[in-house]
Amino acid sequence: EQERASLPEYEFRRLYDAEWTEDEAAVFRGVASVVSDNGLSAPDSDQFCLGVDVAQVSDYLCAVSIGAKGRRLELRSRMRGVPYPAAAVELASLQRSMGNAPIVLEINGPGVALAQEFDRLCVQYIPFTTTNQSKQELVMTLAADVQEKRVTIADHAPMPEEFERFRYERTPSGTYRYSAPSGEHDDTVMAACLARFGVSRAY
């Protein structure tokens, strides 16, 4: 029972319920069953929240939306090599076009520079501080939603593929690391996790 309380659910099932899969390190189960068409919801069709994953130089800056009612994850923007001032302007325009949808933004790590640009432009956002614990909580919440089919994932490349490739690793210290495999990307996954976090607090 101590282990049940302390371990992520998927790790407890693997260790104690003998639940084995071909890829036991996958975090999101049943992705294919929640992937829907590749359309975009109309801006006035729901109350949206945007999650923004901020890129390092070699990665993508990405914005994913989720509606409070529809609970559909949609890729709204994905850019690479765009300076932070220009990215902030583009995201501010996206926010306005979606009825001033709340933006959730990591305010440590690479998110600092974009947060500064948002402050300069007076763009409202929900700050999120990433730690090992807070990242695990983000990921586990969305993983449960996917497994229980409480969300759908728009067929916007590469989002479904990134969800399927997303992995966990237990470190020697007993903590968990969540990321895409080496050489792959997880920007849409992390943006979706932030959007899911925001919509539960904004509406």
Side-chain angles (χ1 to χ4, degrees), residues 160-196:
E161 293 81 9
E162 286 192 359
F163 270 84
E164 288 179 337
R165 291 194 296 256
F166 197 74
R167 298 287 177 267
Y168 78 91
E169 175 188 359
R170 191 170 190 177
T171 68
S173 66
T175 61
Y176 290 84
R177 182 182 297 123
Y178 300 88
S179 65
S182 178
E184 303 289 347
H185 299 282
D186 60 11
D187 48 280
T188 64
V189 173
M190 294 316 303
C193 288
L194 290 167
R196 169 65 181 82

Side-chain angles (χ1 to χ4, degrees), residues 7-8 44 53 62 78 88-89 110 115 131-132 148 151-153 163 169 184 191 197:
L7 290 172
D44 60 352
D53 183 57
C62 173
R78 192 169 187 251
V89 169
T131 64
N132 284 342
E148 298 300 322
V151 297
T152 57
I153 300 172
F163 270 84
E169 175 188 359
E184 303 289 347
F197 168 86

Side-chain angles (χ1 to χ4, degrees), residues 2 5-6 10 26 30 38 50 60 62 65 78 92 102 109 111 157 170 178 188:
Q2 215 170 15
S6 63
Y10 57 81
N38 64 359
L50 291 161
Y60 291 87
C62 173
S65 67
R78 192 169 187 251
R170 191 170 190 177
Y178 300 88
T188 64

